[in-house]
Amino acid sequence: QKEVEQNSGPLSVPEGAIASLNCTYSDRGSQSFFWYRQYSGKSPELIMFIYSNGDKEDGRFTAQLNKASQYVSLLIRDSQPSDSATYLCAVNAGGGADGLTFGKGTHLIIQP
Amino acid sequence: GAVVSQHPSRVICKSGTSVKIECRSLDFQATTMFWYRQFPKQSLMLMATSNEGSKATYEQGVEKDKFLINHASLTLSTLTVTSAHPEDSSFYICSSREGFGTDTQYFGPGTRLTVL
């Protein structure tokens, strides 16, 4: 059974600070890792994907992957109130044929 | 990224009726699309993988005779919830891969089904 674990939160962060979201996964064969943002009542929107160990930066977002520890994280710099949402971590085995296994998501609140 | 549309966005039906949800990949010919379901305050759960021109692959615990999937063209997959019951009320979301050889999936806006 593939599992993806996230702290459900809520995680409260002051505006302008760094928000750190964490995720662990059980399937050591996982190859592709994704962070999605989901606003209440809406479908998920892709924030970032990462395939290789290390850091990947895109604007205010940095994804970090450590396959040895089966751990992936998302950092949001200069947090804005509009970043308040549920952040979903998702993994799959790679190859494009598989669906995604999602964590339950972390509810992030950015305090103005 | 890939643009995916869904129709309808919201549907309310009586128990026992069937509901069809359409998922379209607008800018990419998708040989594979995915159907997910999300219950309130829960995460997305993969229901099935929709393959163009062949039978869908269902996840364990998902009844293939209840959730009929048809992927007759490269841009359209449909999910039919047959004989819907209140416990089928959920947020149904489809996704499409961005392209061949990539795992990145983009989601449609979702369909909220309420069965009375």
Side-chain angles (χ1 to χ4, degrees):
Chain A
Q1 181 90 8
K2 300 176 184 176
E3 293 183 348
V4 178
E5 299 287 341
Q6 293 181 258
N7 188 322
S8 62
L11 174 65
S12 187
V13 174
E15 183 176 358
I18 297 175
S20 178
L21 305 164
N22 304 314
C23 170
T24 59
Y25 58 95
S26 64
D27 184 3
R28 192 169 284 278
S30 299
Q31 295 293 324
S32 304
F33 307 87
F34 306 87
W35 283 100
Y36 286 86
R37 177 173 63 195
Q38 186 176 29
Y39 294 110
S40 180
K42 303 296 185 181
S43 70
E45 58 178 314
L46 181 69
I47 298 295
M48 288 192 71
F49 61 88
I50 186 167
Y51 301 148
S52 303
N53 277 329
D55 295 0
K56 179 181 178 182
E57 185 175 320
D58 184 1
R60 295 188 296 114
F61 300 95
T62 299
Q64 299 173 317
L65 174 61
N66 184 325
K67 289 186 179 181
S69 300
Q70 294 175 239
Y71 174 92
V72 59
S73 66
L74 179 70
L75 301 177
I76 307 175
R77 290 181 297 281
D78 188 23
S79 297
Q80 303 296 310
S82 59
D83 294 326
S84 299
T86 296
Y87 287 79
L88 302 170
C89 174
V91 306
N92 78 359
D98 292 343
L100 298 172
T101 300
F102 281 87
K104 291 187 176 181
T106 297
H107 184 203
L108 176 65
I109 299 172
I110 305 301
Q111 297 176 318
Chain B
V3 179
V4 181
S5 70
Q6 270 184 254
H7 177 80
S9 59
R10 185 180 298 269
V11 59
I12 300 173
C13 68
K14 293 183 179 180
S15 184
T17 60
S18 294
V19 175
K20 179 185 283 188
I21 302 170
E22 293 185 349
C23 176
R24 294 183 185 274
S25 177
L26 299 182
D27 58 353
F28 174 69
Q29 293 185 325
T31 56
T32 303
M33 300 175 83
F34 303 91
W35 287 96
Y36 295 81
R37 177 169 57 182
Q38 186 177 34
F39 292 108
K41 300 192 183 302
Q42 299 293 315
S43 192
L44 280 76
M45 295 295 293
L46 179 66
M47 298 178 66
T49 302
S50 175
N51 303 300
E52 188 268 336
S54 65
K55 293 182 179 180
T57 303
Y58 290 82
E59 295 300 301
Q60 190 173 10
V62 178
E63 301 174 56
K64 62 180 181 179
D65 295 329
K66 181 169 183 62
F67 299 99
L68 302 179
I69 292 173
N70 184 281
H71 194 155
S73 80
L74 288 171
T75 58
L76 174 64
S77 175
T78 62
L79 169 69
T80 300
V81 183
T82 62
S83 187
H85 291 282
E87 58 265 30
D88 298 322
S89 298
S90 187
F91 192 38
Y92 291 86
I93 316 172
C94 69
S95 74
S96 175
R97 286 185 295 145
E98 182 178 31
F100 295 111
T102 176
D103 296 322
T104 305
Q105 292 183 25
Y106 293 88
F107 288 85
T111 297
R112 188 160 304 280
L113 171 64
T114 302
V115 185
L116 302 176

